[in-house]
Amino acid sequence: MSDFSIFKRFSTMAEAQQLIDLLEVNNIKFSLIDNSHDVDITFTGNQSQSEIQLLLQQSDFEKVASLMENAIVKEINEEDRSHYLFEFTDDELYEILTKKDEWSVYDYVLAQKILAERGKAVSENELETLKAKREEELAQPEEGPQIQIFAGYFFGVLGGLIGLMIGWYLWKAKKTLPNGDKVPTYTQDQRNHGKTITIISVIAMVGTIFAKFMGFFG
């Protein structure tokens, strides 16, 4: 499972079924994780949620994305003209193409169709260029909240598990790009802080355990 990463998230299994069927028909390996319990890790910024996660091998990300787009093309041929995207301006439709990851596959393909109907067709080469530019933007490390660093040092010095968790998260957290590549979530400076917090936490925890051990036999 080490080479599997989250490809899509769904609220229910019913929503995921169409993609599951597509994967099974094309003999593509996948895995499902049902997060039926709320998760609330305050200092890592994860919000409570219940979702179905569908994981793919990283090497299959782009292949599956292409299969999904091809499947949508057939549906769009019978598209109801009342769909909200028909009210979008050319610039708004083009923005969908530049930020493919923020929209559904259906919206992404339909935006291309509408632009083509308006005489503003976007070529495959242009789409590839937009995708590469977007992935480059998404690959940039984030500047996480400073409170995480302060909290990490505070709990790290106290020798608590919370400090270790925060430090490890800042140091090792990665995000998955639309093409399946994994890159560090945070900037090098914050990762350095995370490493330092992790070391401090481990030393403090060992020291606390040793002190208790000596006190027990003292």
Side-chain angles (χ1 to χ4, degrees):
M1 290 292 293
S2 61
D3 60 340
F4 278 72
S5 299
I6 298 174
F7 179 72
K8 289 287 183 183
R9 292 180 170 88
F10 302 92
S11 298
T12 65
M13 188 63 73
E15 293 179 4
Q17 193 58 54
Q18 186 175 14
L19 178 53
I20 291 173
D21 293 341
L22 182 65
L23 296 174
E24 291 178 340
V25 167
N26 289 276
N27 296 315
I28 296 175
K29 295 180 180 179
F30 67 93
S31 178
L32 290 172
I33 296 178
D34 184 355
N35 285 336
S36 57
H37 301 288
D38 287 345
V39 178
D40 186 8
I41 305 177
T42 304
F43 293 106
T44 60
N46 291 336
Q47 299 179 348
S48 296
Q49 57 186 346
S50 180
E51 63 181 11
I52 306 298
Q53 297 177 349
L54 189 147
L55 292 75
L56 296 176
Q57 292 178 312
Q58 296 179 39
S59 58
D60 287 331
F61 268 52
E62 293 188 337
K63 177 182 179 181
V64 173
S66 179
L67 287 172
M68 292 173 66
E69 289 175 24
N70 292 335
I72 293 296
V73 168
K74 299 176 182 178
E75 296 181 30
I76 287 183
N77 289 332
E78 302 177 3
E79 175 58 53
D80 181 355
R81 307 297 292 190
S82 65
H83 192 284
Y84 65 89
L85 284 189
F86 284 98
E87 300 179 3
F88 276 36
T89 65
D90 293 347
D91 288 341
E92 290 173 331
L93 291 171
Y94 191 76
E95 185 175 358
I96 293 176
L97 304 187
T98 63
K99 297 181 179 179
K100 178 180 178 181
D101 54 289
E102 295 182 358
W103 296 82
S104 69
V105 177
Y106 193 93
D107 288 345
Y108 177 73
V109 176
L110 181 57
Q112 295 177 55
K113 182 176 184 293
I114 296 174
L115 284 171
E117 290 180 352
R118 295 177 182 178
K120 304 289 182 62
V122 181
S123 69
E124 286 297 323
N125 286 338
E126 290 177 290
L127 291 173
E128 286 298 319
T129 299
L130 291 175
K131 184 175 72 170
K133 182 179 179 181
R134 180 59 173 168
E135 288 175 353
E136 184 178 344
E137 292 175 355
L138 294 173
Q140 297 302 309
E142 303 169 12
E143 189 70 42
Q146 291 298 311
I147 186 63
Q148 285 183 308
I149 296 176
F150 295 142
Y153 279 114
F154 176 77
F155 288 108
V157 170
L158 293 180
L161 183 60
I162 294 178
L164 181 60
M165 292 173 60
I166 296 173
W168 186 261
Y169 181 77
L170 288 170
W171 182 19
K172 296 295 185 178
K174 291 184 180 296
K175 54 185 176 181
T176 303
L177 302 182
N179 64 3
D181 290 344
K182 291 185 177 181
V183 297
T185 300
Y186 295 112
T187 62
Q188 184 62 56
D189 180 62
Q190 290 190 312
R191 297 203 301 274
N192 290 340
H193 278 298
K195 182 178 181 180
T196 302
I197 292 170
T198 300
I199 294 173
I200 290 175
S201 298
V202 170
I203 293 174
M205 289 176 68
V206 171
T208 300
I209 294 173
F210 181 75
K212 290 182 178 180
F213 179 79
M214 293 301 293
F216 179 79
F217 288 99

